[in-house]
Amino acid sequence: MSFLGIDLGTSSVKLLLLSKAGSVLRTVAKEYPVYYPKVGWAEQSPINWWNAVREGIREILTEPQELPDKVEGIGLSGQMHGLVLLDKDNRVLMPALLWCDQRTQEECDELNEKLGSKLSEYTGNKALTGFTAPKVLWVRKNRPEIYDQIEHVLLPKDYIRWKLTGEYATDTSDASGTLFFDVAHRSWSSEMLTILGLSEEKMPRCHESYEITGSVTRQAAQETGLESGTIVAGGGGDQASGAVGTGVVTVGTVSVALGTSGVVFACQENYSVDSENRLHSFCHANGKWHVMGVMLSAASCLKWWVEEVCQLDNAGYAVLLEEAARVSPGSEGLLFLPYLMGERTPYSDPNARGTFVGLTMTHGRGHMTRAILEGVSFGLRDSLEIIREQNIPIYEIRVSGGGAKSLLWRQILADILGLPIHVVNSVEGPAFGAAILAAVGAGEFAGVEEACSVMIKTVEQREPIAANREKYNSLYEVYHQLYGALQDSFEKLSVI
């Protein structure tokens, strides 16, 4: 038997077939476009999502040959915070507004100023432009003819669930990122729904990530090649699913996702909130909770440096990383602030800018490359230090994402974070985690923790180097002061 994990990302959907023993049998990816109709706006067509998922399922079930075992269950993962609106006839009312859409700053300011600490009391978080609630307010203010037709509010992956099962459902981890979900009590916030002018009847039913939410309909079976009646589990938001996919489901184990953005994710047995809301407090996919710090530019900083500035192709990554490896830790006093897209944790500042500090005539390209790797790692440490302030134990870090492929970067992370860095056998992240959740939903395991203990193993470990650790501690003190020193300048530059 096998389990299908579907991860609806921003640029593509990734599908993965997983055996009960944890072996990846097959993977498929299908791309779709992002539309940017105005500066700061980001939209997608839910129909494009479904077409890609449908084609991907057909391909993964038949290429290069028929599967030896049938698919027993499906788990869904996806980009969080997006807004999908359906009318009474289940027609998509407008393009989906994505997590990276920045049009709602005014609505966020209104919510934060009007509700103050009540917002955190209701939802465990403050309003940020990525979240779903400000998007609803934007639609009410700017597209009232659409707002008046809203019958169903869905998150991106849950539109795929509806197409597969005909059910309006979501899971607690993804719902946590809407800003109209009571994270502490794992239910919709009546206070926030009142503010948004929406009834709970328009919200999807909320399940735990490992619970069954429905089964594949005859129509969906005809379109995809799946068997009618195949169960569909709740699944999770991409970060919670990715944490499951790396086995970060117990207290003391922390996930660092070094992808386009950077995420530091720590499990919690009990619900708690950072008093300053620098961290997100969300439900985890294992029925518990987690806190999460998010930096908006991580591996994308290296991509920008290699492809846009140095004008190199894919082979250029290896060349620049080799140059960086020949530079001593600390890049001879050169620091890089990784705020190329503004920042979320810990500063929540869309005006923050990427910056090199400390350049001299002795610095070359290798120094600048290494400074970028170190700067992103310092940014991740910002989140880790806040997690430590919350008295959440941290014993081990499991790293994933494209940036984690670099041995040099893994060692820099170990040295700057001061903890062992583990790489596990799962490299597929959220899709792998979604398939694990499907296996739990199908009854193959007693719980998420048991499934992860069977399917996920450490394959490499990097220990901090004491001398490097000492040097990086001193540099971090300087790095941590730079944002405050430059904040006013960033704001002035934003209006030029």
Side-chain angles (χ1 to χ4, degrees):
M1 63 183 63
S2 61
F3 303 95
L4 177 62
I6 300 174
D7 176 36
L8 191 79
T10 308
S11 59
S12 66
V13 62
K14 296 178 182 177
L15 302 97
L16 175 149
L17 274 174
L18 186 69
S19 74
K20 181 183 176 181
S23 299
V24 176
L25 303 174
R26 196 170 297 169
T27 61
V28 167
K30 295 290 183 183
E31 296 183 350
Y32 34 70
V34 180
Y35 302 105
Y36 303 98
K38 293 186 180 181
V39 175
W41 292 24
E43 303 176 349
Q44 282 182 320
S45 164
I47 303 302
N48 287 347
W49 293 338
W50 173 242
N51 289 338
V53 169
R54 181 178 57 189
E55 293 170 10
I57 294 174
R58 283 200 167 277
E59 182 174 329
I60 205 167
L61 294 180
T62 58
E63 296 293 340
Q65 58 187 8
E66 295 291 338
L67 288 173
D69 300 303
K70 74 172 185 175
V71 175
E72 292 288 334
I74 301 167
L76 300 173
S77 170
Q79 52 172 298
M80 297 178 69
H81 315 305
L83 178 64
V84 181
L85 301 174
L86 306 182
D87 67 10
K88 61 183 178 62
D89 297 317
N90 293 314
R91 292 176 298 195
V92 176
L93 285 166
M94 62 183 294
L97 308 189
L98 304 189
W99 64 274
C100 50
D101 189 289
Q102 299 292 311
R103 75 184 72 181
T104 61
Q105 187 61 57
E106 183 177 314
E107 288 72 25
C108 289
D109 292 341
E110 290 174 1
L111 284 170
N112 288 324
E113 292 169 8
K114 178 180 178 181
L115 297 177
S117 62
K118 287 287 186 182
L119 185 55
S120 183
E121 180 183 324
Y122 296 154
T123 71
N125 296 277
K126 66 180 179 181
L128 298 171
T129 52
F131 286 179
T132 318
K135 294 177 172 67
V136 174
L137 293 179
W138 185 90
V139 173
R140 184 169 70 179
K141 183 187 300 183
N142 296 278
R143 300 287 190 273
E145 74 286 358
I146 289 176
Y147 177 87
D148 291 341
Q149 297 180 67
I150 296 173
E151 191 66 26
H152 300 285
V153 178
L154 296 176
L155 292 162
K157 79 175 192 319
D158 300 319
Y159 177 77
I160 301 303
R161 185 193 318 279
W162 173 73
K163 294 292 288 186
L164 286 171
T165 69
E167 300 288 342
Y168 308 103
T170 190
D171 77 284
T172 58
S173 73
D174 210 0
S176 296
T178 61
L179 206 68
F180 44 87
F181 190 73
D182 183 342
V183 176
H185 299 98
R186 309 176 86 90
S187 61
W188 298 115
S189 166
S190 58
E191 295 90 349
M192 288 303 297
L193 291 181
T194 298
I195 290 169
L196 298 175
L198 297 173
S199 66
E200 190 165 338
E201 288 69 32
K202 295 183 178 181
M203 298 298 108
R205 296 187 323 279
C206 204
H207 298 257
E208 293 299 337
S209 298
Y210 46 81
E211 292 178 339
I212 298 172
T213 61
S215 57
V216 174
T217 64
R218 289 183 179 179
Q219 175 65 33
Q222 291 174 358
E223 292 192 54
T224 62
L226 291 163
E227 287 192 10
S228 176
T230 304
I231 66 161
V232 179
D238 53 3
Q239 294 304 322
S241 296
V244 171
T246 53
V248 179
V249 293
T250 56
V251 173
T253 306
V254 172
S255 166
V256 169
L258 197 54
T260 300
S261 58
V263 177
V264 181
F265 179 114
C267 304
Q268 292 181 288
E269 286 287 332
N270 301 302
Y271 172 76
S272 68
V273 177
D274 169 33
S275 60
E276 299 177 47
N277 287 129
R278 294 165 296 178
L279 300 174
H280 303 321
S281 292
F282 288 168
C283 298
H284 197 359
N286 63 347
K288 298 177 182 177
W289 287 267
H290 71 86
V291 293
M292 181 170 68
V294 179
M295 56 187 299
L296 297 181
S297 302
S300 55
C301 292
L302 182 62
K303 178 180 174 66
W304 161 80
W305 175 246
V306 174
E307 298 180 10
E308 299 299 325
V309 179
C310 296
Q311 295 285 297
L312 298 174
D313 58 17
N314 283 337
Y317 284 85
V319 173
L320 293 187
L321 289 171
E322 184 178 345
E323 291 176 358
R326 295 197 293 267
V327 174
S328 62
S331 302
E332 297 185 27
L334 180 62
L335 288 168
F336 174 73
L337 300 187
Y339 309 141
L340 296 180
M341 295 287 290
E343 193 52 295
R344 181 180 292 186
T345 304
Y347 305 117
S348 186
D349 184 357
N351 296 324
R353 300 290 185 94
T355 309
F356 282 103
V357 176
L359 275 169
T360 71
M361 292 291 287
T362 63
H363 290 121
R365 190 170 70 173
H367 295 85
M368 298 178 79
T369 303
R370 186 176 186 111
I372 288 171
L373 306 183
E374 293 172 341
V376 170
S377 302
F378 283 137
L380 293 167
R381 180 169 170 175
D382 279 341
S383 292
L384 197 70
E385 294 298 334
I386 301 170
I387 291 171
R388 287 188 170 117
E389 288 176 20
Q390 310 305 306
N391 295 316
I392 298 171
I394 305 171
Y395 307 121
E396 171 190 323
I397 292 176
R398 296 189 175 186
V399 65
S400 62
K405 296 176 182 177
S406 165
L407 174 61
L408 172 63
W409 210 342
R410 295 198 300 272
Q411 186 63 58
I412 288 172
L413 275 173
D415 295 339
I416 287 178
L417 302 183
L419 287 162
I421 297 293
H422 292 244
V423 178
V424 299
N425 58 318
S426 162
V427 296
E428 305 296 340
F432 194 96
I436 290 176
L437 293 168
V440 176
E444 292 302 315
F445 299 95
V448 177
E449 291 84 357
E450 179 186 304
C452 289
S453 70
V454 171
M455 295 186 173
I456 298 169
K457 306 296 180 186
T458 296
V459 296
E460 184 201 297
Q461 179 174 325
R462 307 296 301 178
E463 294 287 342
I465 298 170
N468 296 352
R469 172 71 173 150
E470 184 177 351
K471 178 177 286 189
Y472 282 133
N473 281 341
S474 297
L475 280 170
Y476 179 68
E477 293 180 11
V478 180
Y479 172 92
H480 196 59
Q481 296 169 356
L482 288 174
Y483 171 79
L486 294 170
Q487 182 180 9
D488 289 344
S489 297
F490 291 150
E491 186 172 354
K492 291 174 183 176
L493 288 171
S494 70
V495 298
I496 294 176

